[in-house]
Amino acid sequence: MFEQLGLGDVTPREASIWLALAIGVVFGLLAEPTRFCFRRAVAGPAGERRSAAGLWLWALGIAVLGTQGAVLSGLISFDGHRFTTTALPVLAIILGGLAFGTGMVLTRGCITRLTVLTATGNLRALTVMLVFAVTAHAAMKGVLAPARTALSGLTNDLGIGTLADLPGGALVWSLVIAVPALAYALTSRLHPLTLIAGAVLGLLVPAAWVGTGYVLLDEFDPIALESLAFTAPVADSLFYVIASTAVEPTFGAGLVGGVLAGALVASLIGRRFEWQGFEAPAQMGRYITGGVLMGFGGVLAGGCTIGAGLAGVPTLGLSAILALLSIAAGGVIAACLLDRVSAPDSGFSGSSDTQSLQPAE
């Protein structure tokens, strides 16, 4: 397929970066005005949870149908992918998910939302992004790698790695996930334009899978099968920025760059760009703590709410599903505990960086 495109001297890896950049721009353009955020869905203000969950589940349902449609049509395959392995580091995934969920509550947004907010002038989000990137890189290749390796080495062989291996196969289990998700979204009273935006966000997932796994497939110069993700990409982006002469750009770096660009344009068009910073030292400490938890937890769990969630669950991989459920559990538990200890001057009740930038849905 790649050879038929006639891209001249462009390699599949280089083409994948441009693909990621385009996908990232679209994601940023839509995620910023719609306030697309998993944290809001599970631990946000009570009045916003239903609409936030509806939008997120709507995108997930579309992503599942699109991804599995591509699998059933033979365009891509997840055989051998890390999400479908039968030997799961269950303990690492659960602990990582709980840590990530706790971190996203402390920072009032998962790393995806904070990437979008960074482009709108939110310096709290930028601080967390930097802390997250350093921590994630330390967990992958630095001083935290031994701890990550020790936990990830404790695996349980379940005999199956994907829901497609269960009775009913991929088609049935895709519908089991997608139909309730879409039905819930349709009862959430979302604006038609929001539903359209959510559908496009969901379609970006199979677009990336098919783009890297079929359109840009070159047997002589293979590239990784990738889709939306933010844990490794944010870390890779930071170290590409500071060492670009020694480090090559990746699909992830293109994606993060695109998201920042798209969100910036959206915030400027909507006149929502506004410089924001920390209000108290305690608030800054809370955000940094959350960034560390998300950085280590995201690597340990094998992904974030997008990498393991929006893009991972559509693979039907058990590891991705377990990671997302663990993140949700961590968020709910942390939110409940935080509500109990919050006080006006504690630093735990600082103003939200997800203040209403648009009429409530």
Side-chain angles (χ1 to χ4, degrees), residues 5 37 49 52 55 68 72 81 110 131 148 164 181 192 241 272 274 309 329 342 350:
L5 294 176
C37 179
R49 289 179 192 173
L55 176 59
Q68 287 303 311
L72 292 175
H81 194 276
C110 67
V131 172
R148 187 260 306 166
V241 169
R272 290 180 294 271
E274 179 184 2
S342 293

Side-chain angles (χ1 to χ4, degrees), residues 35 46 84 89 111 116 185 211 216 221 278 352 356:
R35 301 173 68 201
T84 60
I111 189 58
V116 171
L216 300 181
D221 189 10
F278 292 104
S352 170
S356 181

Side-chain angles (χ1 to χ4, degrees), residues 16 19 207-217 223-227 251:
S16 73
L19 171 66
W209 287 127
V210 173
T212 57
Y214 176 70
V215 177
L216 300 181
L217 178 63
I223 60 174
L225 177 64
E226 297 184 81
S227 187
F251 177 92

Side-chain angles (χ1 to χ4, degrees), residues 24 40 62 67 101 103 120 126 153 168 190-191 196 203 231 240 242-243 277 281 314 322 343:
R40 287 179 60 232
I62 298 295
T67 300
T120 69
L126 173 61
L190 296 174
H191 191 281
I196 293 174
L203 288 173
T231 300
Y240 172 70
I242 63 179
L322 179 59

